[in-house]
Amino acid sequence: MKHAVSGKLFSEARKYIPGGVNSPVRACRSVGCDPVFITRAKGASVFDADGNEYVDFVCSWGPMIMGHSHPDIVDAVQKAAADGTSFGAPTPSEIELAAMVVEAVPSIEKIRFVNSGTEATMSAVRLARGYTGRDVVVKFDGCYHGHADSFLVKAGSGVLTLGIPGSPGVPEDIVKKTVSIPYNNEEVLEKTLRDEDLDIACVIVEPVAGNMGCVMPQPGFLEKLRSLTEELGIVLIFDEVITGFRLSYGGAQEYYNVLPDLTCLGKIIGGGLPVGAYGGKAEIMDQIAPDGPVYQAGTLSGNPLAMAAGTAALKLLQHSTFYTELERKAERFGEGLQAIAVATGVSTQLNRVGSLMTSFFTDEKVTDFDSAMKADTDLYAAHYRHMLSRGIYLAPSQFEVAFISAAQSEEDLAKALKLTEWSFTKLL
Ligand code: HOZ
């Protein structure tokens, strides 16, 4: 496969954009190659500027659960755009999407739309602090909640991929207000939450960690988190930016039957347009301005194009067999990956829940940040390059997830499995 045009575009991009990208992982540094530049996408495929086609397992990092350019979503966006792209005023379309989310997500009684997952998480934390009158945020090592100051402590995603321990520019005083503890460790969790010297406002968690690769909650972990936070009056925030409308129509909280106080959403609820949202108990949400004193605002919040795309996407997800079919497809694909690992003798650990999965290049179980860090990232990098060269578009980092979409056909997945076998054989 030739990538000459992408190569030229990357050189051009680097003149104007730091690192040539608008989000660090896209620079592909940890997989030892330059990024391909995508010009269009349809269904399960993305196409690069050189005309190459790839089966897409990145799915725009989650939103494209229906695949790309779904006609219903494109139609909804085109119709909305014809009526104006932004008003900075209330619109009927935001009520429609808000009502659908409130109906779908068990713990959400009221919701506020913002423009990204980062905005959602930072606003939810401010709200939790305002509501409780306390300052400290507890998070989990390797979980990623966007790039707001409070979260860049032992964070996942690009921070982990690029090996950045924290970030210059985050004031020490803010770091002191964030406590990061191991994921899936009930003992440390209980000790931390019961520490009377800590003035804990909230715990924020990805109910399935998706930014150190896919790491599932161990049985009982989310339940313990819920019961402790409830007992201690600490606000529990689920960051469901990835898992919302992904694991089930009601998200991870429905899937695991554990209900948080606040939930952050993004990705799928925007149907591929920039969106974020946070919602939860009315008693807490009513603390937001103008009803309450906690301030948060946004010119493009509730943008009519994003609302139209999100509403169209959610309608498609309401099909009665949507999630069971997606689960079955993902399960078969996961089994195929495991069979290849066994047959070729390449040690991998497959972590999968629903249509989210990561094959870690390690022979030890991956249950937290430390075990994820044992993965052989050089092996992943070589595998990534093999797969890219044959038309399979994976996340350019061992510490991200692969997404299965409704658009991937059995043939697409069979092709990916065949090439995985070829790649693994070459790795030995
Ligand atoms: N932090 C995102 C994945 N977990 C990457 C987003 C992007 O590069 O678009």
Side-chain angles (χ1 to χ4, degrees), residues 6 20 53 86 125 145 147 151 153 156 160 162 193 198 251 261 279 285 294 317 366 369 372 416:
S6 278
E53 179 176 357
S86 179
V125 162
H145 306 288
H147 58 88
F151 305 125
V153 179
L160 170 55
L162 300 174
L193 297 198
L198 290 175
D261 301 305
M285 293 300 288
V294 178
L317 300 177
V366 177
F369 176 80

Side-chain angles (χ1 to χ4, degrees), residues 60-360:
S60 190
W61 307 92
M64 313 319 298
I65 190 167
M66 297 306 305
H68 295 277
S69 311
H70 190 286
D72 291 12
I73 299 175
V74 172
D75 190 48
V77 173
Q78 282 172 340
K79 283 198 177 116
D83 285 334
T85 55
S86 179
F87 317 119
T91 64
S93 63
E94 61 194 7
I95 308 174
E96 189 179 2
L97 186 55
M100 286 176 90
V101 176
V102 167
E103 172 83 8
V105 184
S107 70
I108 298 187
E109 294 170 1
K110 284 192 175 177
I111 183 165
R112 171 65 66 87
F113 289 109
V114 291
N115 296 295
S116 69
T118 292
E119 253 188 86
T121 52
M122 79 183 194
S123 307
V125 162
R126 180 180 302 150
L127 175 58
R129 285 174 163 152
Y131 176 73
T132 56
R134 306 182 204 144
D135 280 349
V136 170
V137 176
V138 175
K139 67 174 283 292
F140 295 91
D141 302 345
C143 282
Y144 179 74
H145 306 288
H147 58 88
D149 287 351
S150 305
F151 305 125
L152 293 182
V153 179
K154 294 194 182 169
S157 193
V159 184
L160 170 55
T161 299
L162 300 174
I164 301 169
S167 174
V170 176
E172 199 45 46
D173 284 349
I174 291 189
V175 172
K176 279 189 202 142
K177 302 284 182 199
T178 301
V179 175
S180 191
I181 59 177
Y183 190 73
N184 272 331
N185 187 326
E186 288 186 29
E187 210 178 302
V188 177
L189 174 69
E190 177 145 19
K191 198 161 167 257
T192 307
L193 297 198
R194 290 198 187 282
D195 185 341
E196 284 174 5
D197 292 336
L198 290 175
D199 189 29
I200 302 173
C202 59
V203 179
I204 185 164
V205 66
E206 294 177 80
V208 173
N211 287 284
M212 50 177 153
C214 177
V215 180
M216 295 84 81
Q218 297 294 292
F221 177 66
L222 293 176
E223 289 80 357
K224 180 83 178 175
L225 183 52
R226 177 65 284 186
S227 65
L228 279 170
T229 47
E230 192 154 21
E231 178 196 330
L232 298 165
I234 295 168
V235 175
L236 177 59
I237 305 173
F238 273 11
D239 177 346
E240 293 227 46
V241 170
I242 290 179
T243 54
F245 293 91
R246 163 70 58 184
L247 294 191
S248 73
Y249 193 64
Q253 55 195 269
E254 180 179 75
Y255 190 91
Y256 291 106
N257 193 25
V258 177
L259 305 190
D261 301 305
L262 293 176
T263 301
C264 299
L265 294 166
K267 301 196 191 269
I268 290 175
I269 59 156
L273 271 80
V275 90
Y278 61 110
K281 289 183 175 157
E283 181 198 330
I284 306 178
M285 293 300 288
D286 286 341
Q287 294 300 308
I288 303 169
D291 279 351
V294 178
Y295 199 71
Q296 178 270 311
T299 298
L300 289 164
S301 296
N303 174 265
L305 268 57
M307 297 297 103
T311 303
L314 264 47
K315 283 182 183 160
L316 292 165
L317 300 177
Q318 285 173 345
H319 192 280
S320 60
T321 58
F322 180 83
Y323 287 97
T324 42
E325 278 169 23
L326 195 64
E327 163 71 33
R328 245 181 259 134
K329 203 200 291 192
E331 186 181 26
R332 277 199 301 274
F333 186 62
E335 284 168 0
L337 289 176
Q338 276 175 311
I340 290 165
V342 172
T344 56
V346 173
S347 289
T348 58
Q349 293 292 319
L350 182 80
N351 278 5
R352 180 187 74 82
V353 55
S355 55
L356 299 172
M357 64 182 86
T358 301
S359 256
F360 289 94

Side-chain angles (χ1 to χ4, degrees), residues 26-47:
R26 297 180 197 178
C28 294
R29 292 202 182 161
S30 78
V31 287
C33 59
D34 288 345
V36 293
F37 278 62
I38 304 299
T39 52
R40 68 189 174 91
K42 179 78 192 155
S45 296
V46 290
F47 299 84

